[in-house]
Amino acid sequence: MYARITGTGSYLPPQAVTNHDLVARGIDTSDEWIVERTGIRQRHIADERQSASDLALEASRAALGCAGIAPEKVDLIVVATSTPDYIFPSTACLLQDKLGIKGCAAFDVQAVCSGFAYAMAIAEKFIRSGSHRCALVVGAEVFSRILDWNDRATCVLFGDGAGAVVLEAAETPGILASALHADGSYNEILSVPGNVCGGRVIGSPFLQMDGQAVFKFAVRVLGDVAHEVLQHAHMPQEAVDWLIPHQANIRILQATAKRLGLPMDKVITTVDRHGNTSAASIPLALDVAVRDGRIKRGDNLLLEGVGGGFTWGAVLVKF
Ligand code: ACO
């Protein structure tokens, strides 16, 4: 038994905020600085009434529609998010309710920007074990809610959005290999150290980051984990049709592609239009490239992410 992607979907909130808009709002930055250091030109920001489960719902409906699957057929929902609607219930349970279904397993995965790779690897194991047949795997984030909009070093980097895939049991692959890792000793270089105590937030509820340390760490582990899954699947790197990395920063994407010996025209990039949408960035990029016709059935896709924790992971897919 294998797990195959049978549908993809994504959703971006309508409000696009350009770098020029940020300058107009009084942030001490410039379009030139942001584009040169990150490749980001704009990001989408959710309306204050929208939460992660709302974004997840739109992406899920699109993925289910693409797969031609009724929501009732879903028997597992895994949502990767670090910006859930509530501490609990999980965003996956809220999504299940919004989809109008009951009874199937539903839970969240918290691995920050590697969340979607983690969620895919987990869902695949449920399907391969035979216990489940149709998983909805979602990355959904409203990072705009955990940014200090006075901190130019972090607020320009992120955006909101959601992406989803339907993963179904199949007799042919499917997911070919996956690898997941974490090293908690790097917890301090990227964190939101706030905590809820007595109904109040203790510590900082805003994202904090050592940008240069993150950069070096990300490039190293993204290269390593890509080689690891290729080895698992006995696939030469030339056989990869598309690299779909977490969209943190164009320079991280370029350095990773270089380490893997892949030309940039084999790398799906959306960071210029979406910014860094954390767990949503991989399924968003996947869906963009499926819908614009670049990714075709039978292509070999290498999905990989790295994020706070630190966590990192990769999933090799025969689409
Ligand atoms: N606009 C203008 N100037 C800025 C801005 C800004 N938005 N942000 C910082 N600066 C200034 C700094 O104050 C500093 O000024 P100074 O020299 O007068 O002190 C100068 O720019 C250089 O700052 P650095 O932090 O050294 O800039 P750096 O070249 O490292 O670039 C960046 C910062 C883009 C964050 C880089 O470190 C990076 O790409 N890191 C990777 C981090 C990342 O992508 N994180 C995403 C989350 S993690 C993940 O998704 C895996």
Side-chain angles (χ1 to χ4, degrees), residues 23 43 56 90 113 127 137 162 167 173 190 198 211 244 248 251 258:
V23 175
R43 71 287 294 142
S90 70
C113 304
I127 288 176
V137 185
L167 209 54
L190 180 62
I244 311 174
R251 293 186 302 141
K258 196 170 162 199

Side-chain angles (χ1 to χ4, degrees), residues 105-291:
F107 59 89
D108 288 359
V109 169
Q110 217 278 35
V112 201
C113 304
S114 314
F116 189 74
Y118 267 69
M120 285 285 276
I122 292 165
E124 190 234 356
K125 287 173 190 5
F126 274 71
I127 288 176
R128 287 197 79 155
S129 77
S131 67
H132 292 73
R133 294 195 61 81
C134 182
L136 183 59
V137 185
V138 186
E141 302 281 15
V142 281
F143 256 55
S144 60
R145 307 276 158 78
I146 55 166
L147 298 176
D148 176 354
W149 288 97
N150 296 311
D151 176 13
R152 66 179 183 172
T154 54
C155 74
V156 303
L157 302 176
F158 297 91
D160 301 335
V165 304
V166 176
L167 209 54
E168 287 188 81
E171 277 163 21
T172 53
I175 292 183
L176 302 169
S178 63
L180 303 176
H181 296 282
D183 183 344
S185 69
Y186 286 88
N187 67 81
E188 284 184 1
I189 64 172
L190 180 62
S191 65
V192 181
N195 210 331
V196 179
C197 180
R200 292 174 195 279
V201 176
I202 309 290
S204 170
F206 297 126
L207 184 140
Q208 302 174 5
M209 179 179 74
D210 175 346
Q212 291 178 4
V214 167
F215 192 103
K216 286 184 203 140
F217 190 96
V219 172
R220 177 169 61 82
V221 299
L222 287 173
D224 290 350
V225 79
H227 285 301
E228 185 182 344
V229 286
L230 288 167
Q231 262 175 12
H232 280 181
H234 307 291
M235 182 186 285
Q237 63 204 53
E238 307 80 62
V240 173
D241 295 298
W242 297 104
L243 176 66
I244 311 174
H246 165 52
Q247 307 283 314
N249 179 314
I250 193 66
R251 293 186 302 141
I252 293 178
L253 271 60
Q254 289 162 340
T256 303
K258 196 170 162 199
R259 266 199 80 189
L260 293 173
L262 288 174
M264 279 307 283
D265 60 11
K266 283 193 164 192
V267 183
I268 306 295
T269 60
T270 52
V271 68
D272 55 331
R273 287 156 289 152
H274 300 176
N276 179 345
T277 57
S278 192
S281 88
I282 295 173
L284 263 163
L286 170 66
D287 186 51
V288 165
V290 167
R291 284 175 195 260

